[in-house]
């Protein structure tokens, strides 16, 4: 090859490389400006109708949102606590955030609370608990936990190095990856709408859309029946105890809510032959909490006739599907924690000595649901037999 040919080849190669680098820089700038997974943007994802659905990216999104907002008041739990809005009542002067995650494990809850307290010392915590967070036989979202993403107060040099390496990986995923570029493009150009709604305070909800309440109830009844029938009898409370140890040591005022079920789903548990273990789980939580100081308390709502007796097709429901509270019900529950309670019966402060009375009221309401809704008793039989 002649010298001129070599020179031309090098020139073409450099030009092609420059073009590729330029295109890559434009793509990266575009992705960073869109911020599809909301790592740094302050406005709500719901402010943009074409924004990327965050449901599958919440575990990436929320730790960064906590670092940006630096909340003094935190709500944590699974999707069943996702509509408890922390910016409410006399807490509006505090920076609040809802850190709930879909299918959260107790370990995830503990790590995200530690993370929030390390970022900015927490004054208050509301924690939503459900039965499946304690199932030792199901790995579930434990496999989704990226431990290095979370700060904790006693980090050593190795922990901090792992944290910063994870941050580099997260930035690559969020701004430089092909998936991020595609999602950013969709966020700007697609007419699709998300089935989830997200807000700056961390609250989020799934929109049922055209799905009827009966269909939603049927799906949850089948799921509850299968999980309660097949799930292991052993509950793992070790992560709860670690979390409570941390909360007591840091003197963080904590209100725990055992998230409620509608009467139809309580009957589903009975038909799965799991009522006794469901009751034993709640009793164990109350007994564990009772061993800690008075800044930590636990509440129940399954003796509330408004919730337990709610009909499937109620016009202005408190449940979407018998499991997830609506925004209206979540606001009412939250008022009972921080302000004057507007519900007919407020959450019950549970202690070991009042559990039998509480469970008896639950059983009475569950029986009343069947009496008042014979049609759905028959439908439940059909749902769980298919």
């Amino acid at each position: 090859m002649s010298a001129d040919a070599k020179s031309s080849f090098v020139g073409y190669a450099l030009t092609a490389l420059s073009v590729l680098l330029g295109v890559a820089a434009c793509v990266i700038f575009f992705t960073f400006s869109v911020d599809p997974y909301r790592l740094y943007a302050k406005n709500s994802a719901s402010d943009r109708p074409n924004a990327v659905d965050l449901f599958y990216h919440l575990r990436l999104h929320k730790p960064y949102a906590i670092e940006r907002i630096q909340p003094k008041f935190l709500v944590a739990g699974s999707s069943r606590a996702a509509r408890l809005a922390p910016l409410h009542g006399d807490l509006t002067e505090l920076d609040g955030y809802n850190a709930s995650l879909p299918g959260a494990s107790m370990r995830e809850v503990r790590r995200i609370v530690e993370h929030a307290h390390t970022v900015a010392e927490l004054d208050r915590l509301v924690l939503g608990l459900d039965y499946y967070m304690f199932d030792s036989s199901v790995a579930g979202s434990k496999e989704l936990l990226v431990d290095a993403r979370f700060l904790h107060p006693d980090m050593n040099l190795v922990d901090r190095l792992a944290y910063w390496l994870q941050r580099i990986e997260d930035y690559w995923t969020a701004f430089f990856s092909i998936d991020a570029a595609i999602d950013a493009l969709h966020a700007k150009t697609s007419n699709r709408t998300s089935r989830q709604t997200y807000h700056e305070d961390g609250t989020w909800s799934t929109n049922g859309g055209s799905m009827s309440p009966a269909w939603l109830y049927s799906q949850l009844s089948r799921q509850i029946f299968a999980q309660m029938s097949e799930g292991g009898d052993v509950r793992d409370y070790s992560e709860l105890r670690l979390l409570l140890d941390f909360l007591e040591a840091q003197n963080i005022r904590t209100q725990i809510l055992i998230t409620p079920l509608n009467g139809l789903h309580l009957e589903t548990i009975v038909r799965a032959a799991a009522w006794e273990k469901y009751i034993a789980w709640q009793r164990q939580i109350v007994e564990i909490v009772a061993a800690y100081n008075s800044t930590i308390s636990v509440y129940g709502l399954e003796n509330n006739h408004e919730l337990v007796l709610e009909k499937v097709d109620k016009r202005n429901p408190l449940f979407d599907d018998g499991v997830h509270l609506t925004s209206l019900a979540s606001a009412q529950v939250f008022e009972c924690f921080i302000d004057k309670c507007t519900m007919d019966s407020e959450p019950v402060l549970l202690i070991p000595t009042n559990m039998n009375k509480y469970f008896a009221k639950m059983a009475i309401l569950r029986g009343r649901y069947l009496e008042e809704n014979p049609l759905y008793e028959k439908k439940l039989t059909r749902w769980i037999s298919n």
Side-chain angles (χ1 to χ4, degrees):
M1 183 182 292
S2 66
D4 289 341
K6 289 182 179 179
S7 177
S8 297
F9 176 78
V10 171
Y12 288 136
L14 290 175
T15 300
L17 180 61
S18 298
V19 171
L20 288 174
L21 290 175
V23 170
C26 290
V27 171
I28 290 171
F29 176 79
F30 173 71
T31 305
F32 189 83
S33 64
V34 174
D35 186 17
Y37 307 138
R38 320 302 290 161
L39 260 63
Y40 67 85
K42 292 185 178 181
N43 62 304
S44 168
S46 61
D47 292 339
R48 302 185 306 177
N50 294 335
V52 170
D53 191 338
L54 285 177
F55 185 80
Y56 298 104
H57 307 286
L58 284 177
R59 285 173 168 80
L60 172 63
H61 165 80
K62 294 227 167 191
Y64 285 87
I66 287 173
E67 291 186 36
R68 174 171 52 81
I69 295 172
Q70 299 187 3
K72 291 289 188 180
F73 172 57
L74 195 73
V75 177
S78 67
S79 61
R80 293 170 66 181
R83 294 187 183 184
L84 295 172
L87 302 180
H88 185 83
D90 60 359
L91 295 175
T92 54
E93 296 181 359
L94 296 175
D95 290 320
Y97 188 71
N98 187 313
S100 300
L101 294 170
S105 66
M106 273 308 305
R107 179 168 173 77
E108 278 186 308
V109 170
R110 176 174 67 84
R111 295 295 288 114
I112 209 162
V113 171
E114 292 175 347
H115 179 75
H117 189 69
T118 305
V119 170
E121 293 186 359
L122 292 174
D123 293 326
R124 193 164 181 176
L125 170 69
V126 168
L127 175 61
L129 299 183
D130 64 61
Y131 184 81
Y132 309 107
M133 297 166 72
F134 296 82
D135 192 342
S136 60
S137 66
V138 179
S141 59
K142 293 178 182 178
E143 298 174 355
L144 302 175
L145 174 65
V146 181
D147 203 63
R149 189 174 288 154
F150 299 95
L151 296 165
H152 62 87
D154 302 318
M155 296 179 72
N156 55 34
L157 184 60
V158 174
D159 292 334
R160 293 188 180 279
L161 177 60
Y163 170 77
W164 284 107
L165 290 175
Q166 183 61 50
R167 173 158 292 220
I168 292 171
E169 181 181 336
D170 289 345
Y171 276 163
W172 179 270
T173 299
F175 301 123
F176 306 124
S177 69
I178 294 175
D179 287 343
I182 293 173
D183 284 338
L185 183 63
H186 282 161
K188 282 296 187 182
T189 62
S190 175
N191 291 323
R192 66 183 180 180
T193 56
S194 172
R195 286 185 56 196
Q196 276 72 237
T197 302
Y198 309 94
H199 302 283
E200 176 63 15
D201 64 0
T203 56
W204 57 280
S205 59
T206 299
N207 306 315
S210 60
M211 294 179 288
S212 69
W215 186 88
L216 293 172
Y217 269 80
S218 69
Q219 296 306 302
L220 264 296
S221 292
R222 291 187 179 100
Q223 179 181 327
I224 291 170
F225 184 81
Q227 291 176 327
M228 298 298 288
S229 299
E230 300 171 4
D233 293 332
V234 178
R235 304 288 102 187
D236 183 359
Y237 301 96
S238 58
E239 289 292 340
L240 175 64
R241 288 189 171 92
L242 289 173
L243 175 58
L244 295 177
D245 289 343
F246 177 80
L247 295 171
E248 184 177 58
Q250 303 300 325
N251 197 34
I252 301 171
R253 182 182 175 187
T254 301
Q255 291 165 296
I256 298 172
L257 174 65
I258 297 178
T259 51
L261 294 176
N262 174 267
L264 192 62
H265 292 322
L266 292 177
E267 174 63 16
T268 303
I269 293 174
V270 172
R271 297 193 181 194
W275 182 255
E276 291 304 321
K277 67 180 182 182
Y278 182 68
I279 294 301
W281 163 72
Q282 295 197 28
R283 190 184 299 277
Q284 186 64 37
I285 288 174
V286 173
E287 291 176 353
I288 290 172
V289 171
Y292 290 83
N293 63 37
S294 59
T295 62
I296 304 174
S297 51
V298 59
Y299 295 81
L301 272 170
E302 286 174 328
N303 73 331
N304 185 311
H305 68 275
E306 289 181 89
L307 294 170
V308 176
L309 297 180
E310 179 175 272
K311 297 181 182 300
V312 170
D313 54 356
K314 184 180 177 182
R315 176 163 297 185
N316 296 305
L318 299 175
F319 280 115
D320 280 332
D321 49 19
V323 170
H324 297 94
L325 295 172
T326 63
S327 297
L328 171 64
S330 295
Q332 291 179 350
V333 169
F334 215 75
E335 283 180 345
C336 294
F337 281 147
I338 64 174
D339 204 345
K340 184 179 179 180
C341 193
T342 59
M343 302 185 79
D344 284 354
S345 54
E346 59 186 292
V348 176
L349 174 63
L350 298 176
I351 55 177
T353 55
N354 70 357
M355 292 299 293
N356 289 338
K357 181 178 179 181
Y358 176 76
F359 293 145
K361 181 67 177 294
M362 284 174 58
I364 291 171
L365 290 178
R366 177 177 55 79
R368 277 185 56 189
Y369 190 93
L370 299 180
E371 294 172 3
E372 296 175 9
N373 300 277
L375 175 62
Y376 276 97
E377 180 183 6
K378 294 178 180 178
K379 287 187 176 184
L380 176 62
T381 302
R382 185 172 71 252
W383 292 341
I384 63 179
S385 63
N386 292 337

